[in-house]
Amino acid sequence: MGGLSVFGALADETAAPAKPAFRPASPLAPVRAQPDRLIDFAVCTRPFRPQGPRIEAQRLHGKNVVHHYGHGGSGWSLSWGSALRALPLVLATRERHIAIIGCGAIGLTTARVAQRAGLRVRIYCKERPPEVRSSAATGVWSPDSRLYAAEHATPVVAAQWEAMARASFKTWQTLLGLPGEPVAWHDGYVLSDIPFGEPLPDTGPNDEPDYAELDASIQDLRPRAVTLRPEHHPFKAPHVRRFTQMVFNLASYQRLLMDDFLREGGEIEQRDFAHARQIAGLRERTIVNCTGYGAKALFGDTTIVPIRGQTARLVPQPEVDYALYLRGVHVSMVPRRDGLLVQAQGPRDFNNEDARVDRAESEEAVRRLAAVFA
Ligand SMILES: Cc1cc2nc3c(=O)[nH]c(=O)nc-3n(C[C@H](O)[C@H](O)[C@H](O)COP(=O)(O)OP(=O)(O)OC[C@H]3O[C@@H](n4cnc5c(N)ncnc54)[C@H](O)[C@@H]3O)c2cc1C
């Protein structure tokens, strides 16, 4: 389940410490789970490559190109560590003024890491936040979500991933407690109809690969999940676990990244590249390609597979400071400051680049949430 989950913490299913549950000081506020309280919908395409993110240098159209894309369902989580991995390739070109194509999670973070290394950066992009696909993400720490197909997770890859995840995690902790709460930690509850030790029923054949579940190597980074007895939670569900997770408030976080980038002399130029050869006309000689799913069309990377995901927001409820995950139906709710973010993972998401909103999908997810408060 870990690779499919929006909550890295769910990979904990085998670790059920039989400790007495901690009872929260105050009752949990119920979610006002009504479809008419949905205020926004967004669809995003995870740029999944079975072999994992592409982080490599290439000489192309007379430029030094550093490719940096293909982060599946983990782009926000891994952004800092991944940018630190791309940085030596950029520095090796010895250029002090660089270009980055892309202003999503990866482009913006790469830009900040490059600035911290003393480089001048200009971003070229078709869209910028909040129009980028990254803005539609859930916004939780999920560093191994739909990132590598299991068959590609060699020990070398796993070690590289662990280094990226740890470096990212470290940076995320420096962003806690800031105005606008770009990053926060919250409790969450996994609700299940069947015991946690039992696998979910097989949903039938599909094209989706088994994903590498890597987060056992970084379990020291977060508190353990705890199984709760019925008298210790208010939910209508036979099996409940509490976990603790890191949440990214993407609206304020993206604004923080943009402000920091511009304050340190960064520039953003609107540009839609129809062909990769158009990079030949850029002023800069070193270009970092952070185009995410866009790299499929622009750089002809046929290994990228689109994995559709739809998120929707319920009217903000600041009193709801916990997440929910309905195991079995794969519905989640994350307490963000810009609303309670609702997501339903569907069986038709894999290899699906349909970016149209399916309102009925989110309304059904809200009804499922309502049922656990009945
Ligand atoms: C539903 C959903 C939930 C998710 N939840 C999480 C989560 O909770 N945690 C997590 O870590 N990750 C999550 N992800 C994954 C994460 O959103 C992605 O990994 C991340 O957004 C990829 O960022 P990116 O910068 O590579 O791509 P993008 O955000 O797509 O940015 C690409 C940039 O390149 C530009 N560009 C592309 N092509 C061109 C072109 N031809 N010319 C000019 N500019 C171009 C675009 O305009 C844009 O600026 C989720 C994904 C989905 C779909």
Short mmCIF file of all heavy atoms in Angstrom, two decimals, residues 162-206:
data_model
loop_
_atom_site.label_atom_id
_atom_site.label_comp_id
_atom_site.label_asym_id
_atom_site.label_seq_id
_atom_site.Cartn_x
_atom_site.Cartn_y
_atom_site.Cartn_z
N GLU A 162 17.32 7.31 -0.31
CA GLU A 162 17.37 7.60 1.13
C GLU A 162 18.11 8.92 1.39
O GLU A 162 17.67 9.74 2.20
CB GLU A 162 18.02 6.45 1.89
CG GLU A 162 18.03 6.73 3.39
CD GLU A 162 18.62 5.60 4.23
OE1 GLU A 162 18.72 4.46 3.73
OE2 GLU A 162 18.98 5.87 5.39
N ALA A 163 19.21 9.12 0.67
CA ALA A 163 19.97 10.37 0.86
C ALA A 163 19.11 11.57 0.46
O ALA A 163 19.09 12.59 1.16
CB ALA A 163 21.24 10.32 0.02
N MET A 164 18.37 11.46 -0.63
CA MET A 164 17.50 12.56 -1.07
C MET A 164 16.40 12.81 -0.04
O MET A 164 16.09 13.95 0.31
CB MET A 164 16.85 12.25 -2.42
CG MET A 164 17.77 12.36 -3.60
SD MET A 164 16.88 12.38 -5.17
CE MET A 164 16.33 10.69 -5.32
N ALA A 165 15.78 11.72 0.44
CA ALA A 165 14.67 11.86 1.38
C ALA A 165 15.16 12.49 2.68
O ALA A 165 14.51 13.40 3.23
CB ALA A 165 14.03 10.50 1.65
N ARG A 166 16.30 12.06 3.17
CA ARG A 166 16.80 12.62 4.44
C ARG A 166 17.18 14.09 4.28
O ARG A 166 16.89 14.91 5.16
CB ARG A 166 18.00 11.80 4.94
CG ARG A 166 17.60 10.44 5.51
CD ARG A 166 18.75 9.69 6.15
NE ARG A 166 18.28 8.40 6.62
CZ ARG A 166 17.66 8.20 7.80
NH1 ARG A 166 17.47 9.21 8.63
NH2 ARG A 166 17.24 7.00 8.14
N ALA A 167 17.81 14.43 3.16
CA ALA A 167 18.19 15.84 2.94
C ALA A 167 16.94 16.71 2.83
O ALA A 167 16.88 17.82 3.38
CB ALA A 167 19.04 15.96 1.68
N SER A 168 15.93 16.20 2.14
CA SER A 168 14.67 16.95 2.01
C SER A 168 14.03 17.15 3.38
O SER A 168 13.61 18.26 3.73
CB SER A 168 13.68 16.17 1.14
OG SER A 168 13.56 16.75 -0.11
N PHE A 169 13.92 16.06 4.10
CA PHE A 169 13.26 16.10 5.41
C PHE A 169 13.91 17.16 6.30
O PHE A 169 13.24 17.95 6.96
CB PHE A 169 13.34 14.72 6.06
CG PHE A 169 12.57 14.61 7.34
CD1 PHE A 169 11.23 14.25 7.34
CD2 PHE A 169 13.19 14.86 8.56
CE1 PHE A 169 10.51 14.15 8.52
CE2 PHE A 169 12.49 14.76 9.75
CZ PHE A 169 11.14 14.41 9.73
N LYS A 170 15.22 17.17 6.27
CA LYS A 170 15.97 18.12 7.11
C LYS A 170 15.57 19.56 6.74
O LYS A 170 15.34 20.39 7.62
CB LYS A 170 17.47 17.89 6.86
CG LYS A 170 18.39 18.71 7.66
CD LYS A 170 18.77 18.00 8.94
CE LYS A 170 19.64 18.88 9.82
NZ LYS A 170 19.34 18.72 11.23
N THR A 171 15.49 19.84 5.44
CA THR A 171 15.13 21.21 5.03
C THR A 171 13.69 21.53 5.41
O THR A 171 13.39 22.65 5.86
CB THR A 171 15.33 21.39 3.52
OG1 THR A 171 16.65 20.99 3.19
CG2 THR A 171 15.12 22.83 3.10
N TRP A 172 12.80 20.56 5.23
CA TRP A 172 11.40 20.83 5.59
C TRP A 172 11.28 21.26 7.05
O TRP A 172 10.46 22.12 7.39
CB TRP A 172 10.53 19.58 5.35
CG TRP A 172 10.20 19.34 3.91
CD1 TRP A 172 10.59 18.26 3.16
CD2 TRP A 172 9.41 20.17 3.05
NE1 TRP A 172 10.09 18.38 1.88
CE2 TRP A 172 9.36 19.54 1.79
CE3 TRP A 172 8.74 21.38 3.23
CZ2 TRP A 172 8.68 20.08 0.71
CZ3 TRP A 172 8.06 21.92 2.15
CH2 TRP A 172 8.04 21.27 0.91
N GLN A 173 12.10 20.68 7.93
CA GLN A 173 11.96 21.03 9.35
C GLN A 173 12.37 22.48 9.61
O GLN A 173 11.96 23.08 10.60
CB GLN A 173 12.79 20.08 10.24
CG GLN A 173 12.48 18.60 10.05
CD GLN A 173 11.02 18.31 9.82
OE1 GLN A 173 10.17 18.66 10.64
NE2 GLN A 173 10.70 17.68 8.69
N THR A 174 13.20 23.05 8.72
CA THR A 174 13.60 24.46 8.91
C THR A 174 12.47 25.40 8.52
O THR A 174 12.57 26.61 8.74
CB THR A 174 14.84 24.81 8.07
OG1 THR A 174 14.49 24.78 6.68
CG2 THR A 174 15.99 23.86 8.33
N LEU A 175 11.42 24.88 7.89
CA LEU A 175 10.32 25.73 7.41
C LEU A 175 9.12 25.69 8.35
O LEU A 175 8.06 26.25 8.05
CB LEU A 175 9.90 25.27 6.00
CG LEU A 175 11.02 25.42 4.94
CD1 LEU A 175 10.69 24.61 3.71
CD2 LEU A 175 11.22 26.88 4.59
N LEU A 176 9.27 25.02 9.48
CA LEU A 176 8.17 24.96 10.46
C LEU A 176 8.06 26.28 11.20
O LEU A 176 9.06 26.97 11.40
CB LEU A 176 8.43 23.84 11.47
CG LEU A 176 8.19 22.42 10.97
CD1 LEU A 176 8.85 21.42 11.91
CD2 LEU A 176 6.70 22.12 10.85
N GLY A 177 6.84 26.59 11.61
CA GLY A 177 6.64 27.74 12.50
C GLY A 177 6.73 29.09 11.82
O GLY A 177 6.81 30.11 12.50
N LEU A 178 6.72 29.11 10.50
CA LEU A 178 6.80 30.39 9.79
C LEU A 178 5.40 30.98 9.56
O LEU A 178 4.41 30.24 9.56
CB LEU A 178 7.49 30.19 8.43
CG LEU A 178 8.94 29.69 8.49
CD1 LEU A 178 9.50 29.54 7.07
CD2 LEU A 178 9.80 30.66 9.29
N PRO A 179 5.32 32.29 9.34
CA PRO A 179 4.00 32.89 9.05
C PRO A 179 3.36 32.19 7.84
O PRO A 179 4.05 31.85 6.87
CB PRO A 179 4.35 34.34 8.71
CG PRO A 179 5.70 34.58 9.30
CD PRO A 179 6.41 33.26 9.33
N GLY A 180 2.07 31.99 7.93
CA GLY A 180 1.36 31.31 6.85
C GLY A 180 1.47 29.80 6.94
O GLY A 180 0.90 29.07 6.14
N GLU A 181 2.21 29.33 7.92
CA GLU A 181 2.36 27.90 8.19
C GLU A 181 2.61 27.07 6.91
O GLU A 181 1.82 26.21 6.56
CB GLU A 181 1.11 27.37 8.90
CG GLU A 181 1.40 26.21 9.81
CD GLU A 181 0.15 25.70 10.54
OE1 GLU A 181 -0.97 26.09 10.17
OE2 GLU A 181 0.34 24.89 11.46
N PRO A 182 3.70 27.36 6.18
CA PRO A 182 3.94 26.59 4.95
C PRO A 182 4.07 25.09 5.20
O PRO A 182 3.73 24.29 4.33
CB PRO A 182 5.25 27.19 4.41
CG PRO A 182 5.88 27.91 5.55
CD PRO A 182 4.77 28.35 6.44
N VAL A 183 4.55 24.73 6.37
CA VAL A 183 4.70 23.32 6.72
C VAL A 183 4.16 23.11 8.13
O VAL A 183 4.32 23.99 8.98
CB VAL A 183 6.20 22.91 6.71
CG1 VAL A 183 6.34 21.41 6.95
CG2 VAL A 183 6.84 23.28 5.39
N ALA A 184 3.51 21.98 8.35
CA ALA A 184 2.97 21.70 9.68
C ALA A 184 2.99 20.18 9.91
O ALA A 184 3.12 19.40 8.96
CB ALA A 184 1.54 22.22 9.78
N TRP A 185 2.90 19.80 11.15
CA TRP A 185 2.71 18.38 11.49
C TRP A 185 1.31 18.21 12.05
O TRP A 185 0.85 19.02 12.85
CB TRP A 185 3.74 17.94 12.54
CG TRP A 185 5.11 17.68 12.00
CD1 TRP A 185 6.12 18.58 11.84
CD2 TRP A 185 5.62 16.42 11.55
NE1 TRP A 185 7.22 17.96 11.32
CE2 TRP A 185 6.96 16.62 11.13
CE3 TRP A 185 5.09 15.13 11.45
CZ2 TRP A 185 7.77 15.60 10.64
CZ3 TRP A 185 5.90 14.11 10.97
CH2 TRP A 185 7.21 14.35 10.57
N HIS A 186 0.63 17.15 11.61
CA HIS A 186 -0.72 16.86 12.12
C HIS A 186 -0.84 15.37 12.42
O HIS A 186 -0.18 14.54 11.80
CB HIS A 186 -1.78 17.18 11.05
CG HIS A 186 -1.93 18.63 10.76
ND1 HIS A 186 -2.55 19.50 11.61
CD2 HIS A 186 -1.54 19.36 9.70
CE1 HIS A 186 -2.53 20.71 11.09
NE2 HIS A 186 -1.93 20.65 9.93
N ASP A 187 -1.77 15.05 13.30
CA ASP A 187 -2.16 13.65 13.46
C ASP A 187 -3.10 13.27 12.33
O ASP A 187 -3.73 14.14 11.71
CB ASP A 187 -2.90 13.43 14.78
CG ASP A 187 -1.93 13.27 15.94
OD1 ASP A 187 -0.71 13.19 15.69
OD2 ASP A 187 -2.40 13.23 17.09
N GLY A 188 -3.21 11.98 12.07
CA GLY A 188 -4.17 11.48 11.10
C GLY A 188 -4.66 10.12 11.54
O GLY A 188 -4.05 9.47 12.41
N TYR A 189 -5.77 9.69 10.97
CA TYR A 189 -6.38 8.42 11.36
C TYR A 189 -6.64 7.58 10.11
O TYR A 189 -7.25 8.07 9.15
CB TYR A 189 -7.68 8.66 12.12
CG TYR A 189 -7.44 9.44 13.40
CD1 TYR A 189 -7.38 10.84 13.37
CD2 TYR A 189 -7.21 8.78 14.59
CE1 TYR A 189 -7.10 11.56 14.53
CE2 TYR A 189 -6.94 9.49 15.76
CZ TYR A 189 -6.88 10.88 15.72
OH TYR A 189 -6.60 11.59 16.85
N VAL A 190 -6.17 6.34 10.13
CA VAL A 190 -6.49 5.40 9.06
C VAL A 190 -7.66 4.58 9.53
O VAL A 190 -7.63 4.00 10.62
CB VAL A 190 -5.32 4.42 8.78
CG1 VAL A 190 -5.61 3.62 7.51
CG2 VAL A 190 -4.01 5.13 8.67
N LEU A 191 -8.72 4.54 8.72
CA LEU A 191 -9.93 3.78 9.07
C LEU A 191 -10.05 2.59 8.13
O LEU A 191 -9.91 2.76 6.91
CB LEU A 191 -11.16 4.68 8.93
CG LEU A 191 -11.51 5.64 10.07
CD1 LEU A 191 -10.33 6.43 10.57
CD2 LEU A 191 -12.62 6.59 9.64
N SER A 192 -10.30 1.42 8.71
CA SER A 192 -10.33 0.22 7.87
C SER A 192 -11.46 -0.70 8.28
O SER A 192 -11.77 -0.83 9.47
CB SER A 192 -8.99 -0.51 7.99
OG SER A 192 -8.97 -1.63 7.14
N ASP A 193 -12.06 -1.34 7.28
CA ASP A 193 -13.10 -2.33 7.59
C ASP A 193 -12.51 -3.68 7.93
O ASP A 193 -13.17 -4.51 8.55
CB ASP A 193 -14.05 -2.49 6.38
CG ASP A 193 -14.97 -1.29 6.24
OD1 ASP A 193 -15.14 -0.58 7.24
OD2 ASP A 193 -15.46 -1.04 5.12
N ILE A 194 -11.28 -3.92 7.48
CA ILE A 194 -10.65 -5.22 7.77
C ILE A 194 -9.38 -4.97 8.60
O ILE A 194 -8.79 -3.89 8.53
CB ILE A 194 -10.34 -6.01 6.49
CG1 ILE A 194 -9.46 -5.19 5.56
CG2 ILE A 194 -11.60 -6.42 5.77
CD1 ILE A 194 -9.04 -5.96 4.33
N PRO A 195 -8.97 -5.96 9.37
CA PRO A 195 -7.80 -5.75 10.25
C PRO A 195 -6.57 -5.29 9.45
O PRO A 195 -6.38 -5.68 8.30
CB PRO A 195 -7.57 -7.13 10.86
CG PRO A 195 -8.90 -7.81 10.80
CD PRO A 195 -9.56 -7.31 9.55
N PHE A 196 -5.73 -4.48 10.09
CA PHE A 196 -4.59 -3.91 9.38
C PHE A 196 -3.60 -4.96 8.89
O PHE A 196 -2.93 -4.76 7.89
CB PHE A 196 -3.90 -2.87 10.26
CG PHE A 196 -4.70 -1.61 10.39
CD1 PHE A 196 -5.35 -1.31 11.57
CD2 PHE A 196 -4.82 -0.75 9.32
CE1 PHE A 196 -6.11 -0.15 11.68
CE2 PHE A 196 -5.58 0.41 9.41
CZ PHE A 196 -6.22 0.71 10.61
N GLY A 197 -3.52 -6.07 9.57
CA GLY A 197 -2.59 -7.12 9.14
C GLY A 197 -3.03 -7.84 7.87
O GLY A 197 -2.24 -8.53 7.23
N GLU A 198 -4.31 -7.69 7.53
CA GLU A 198 -4.83 -8.41 6.35
C GLU A 198 -4.75 -7.55 5.10
O GLU A 198 -5.06 -6.36 5.15
CB GLU A 198 -6.30 -8.80 6.57
CG GLU A 198 -6.47 -9.91 7.59
CD GLU A 198 -7.94 -10.26 7.79
OE1 GLU A 198 -8.78 -9.93 6.91
OE2 GLU A 198 -8.25 -10.83 8.85
N PRO A 199 -4.33 -8.17 3.96
CA PRO A 199 -4.25 -7.36 2.74
C PRO A 199 -5.64 -6.99 2.25
O PRO A 199 -6.63 -7.65 2.56
CB PRO A 199 -3.56 -8.30 1.75
CG PRO A 199 -3.79 -9.67 2.28
CD PRO A 199 -3.96 -9.57 3.77
N LEU A 200 -5.68 -5.92 1.46
CA LEU A 200 -6.95 -5.51 0.85
C LEU A 200 -7.31 -6.48 -0.25
O LEU A 200 -6.43 -7.09 -0.87
CB LEU A 200 -6.81 -4.10 0.27
CG LEU A 200 -6.51 -3.01 1.28
CD1 LEU A 200 -6.21 -1.69 0.56
CD2 LEU A 200 -7.70 -2.83 2.22
N PRO A 201 -8.62 -6.65 -0.53
CA PRO A 201 -9.02 -7.55 -1.62
C PRO A 201 -8.42 -7.09 -2.95
O PRO A 201 -8.27 -5.89 -3.18
CB PRO A 201 -10.54 -7.42 -1.65
CG PRO A 201 -10.93 -6.70 -0.42
CD PRO A 201 -9.73 -5.99 0.12
N ASP A 202 -8.09 -8.05 -3.79
CA ASP A 202 -7.53 -7.74 -5.11
C ASP A 202 -8.59 -7.03 -5.95
O ASP A 202 -9.74 -7.47 -6.01
CB ASP A 202 -7.11 -9.06 -5.78
CG ASP A 202 -6.16 -8.80 -6.94
OD1 ASP A 202 -6.01 -7.64 -7.32
OD2 ASP A 202 -5.58 -9.78 -7.45
N THR A 203 -8.21 -5.92 -6.57
CA THR A 203 -9.19 -5.16 -7.36
C THR A 203 -9.17 -5.57 -8.83
O THR A 203 -9.75 -4.89 -9.67
CB THR A 203 -8.93 -3.64 -7.26
OG1 THR A 203 -7.55 -3.42 -7.53
CG2 THR A 203 -9.30 -3.10 -5.92
N GLY A 204 -8.48 -6.64 -9.15
CA GLY A 204 -8.47 -7.12 -10.54
C GLY A 204 -7.26 -6.61 -11.30
O GLY A 204 -6.50 -5.77 -10.80
N PRO A 205 -7.10 -7.09 -12.54
CA PRO A 205 -5.89 -6.75 -13.30
C PRO A 205 -5.89 -5.29 -13.74
O PRO A 205 -6.92 -4.72 -14.05
CB PRO A 205 -5.98 -7.68 -14.52
CG PRO A 205 -7.41 -8.05 -14.62
CD PRO A 205 -8.02 -7.95 -13.26
N ASN A 206 -4.71 -4.67 -13.72
CA ASN A 206 -4.53 -3.37 -14.35
C ASN A 206 -3.05 -3.25 -14.74
O ASN A 206 -2.25 -4.11 -14.45
CB ASN A 206 -4.98 -2.21 -13.45
CG ASN A 206 -4.15 -2.08 -12.19
OD1 ASN A 206 -2.95 -2.29 -12.20
ND2 ASN A 206 -4.80 -1.77 -11.09
#
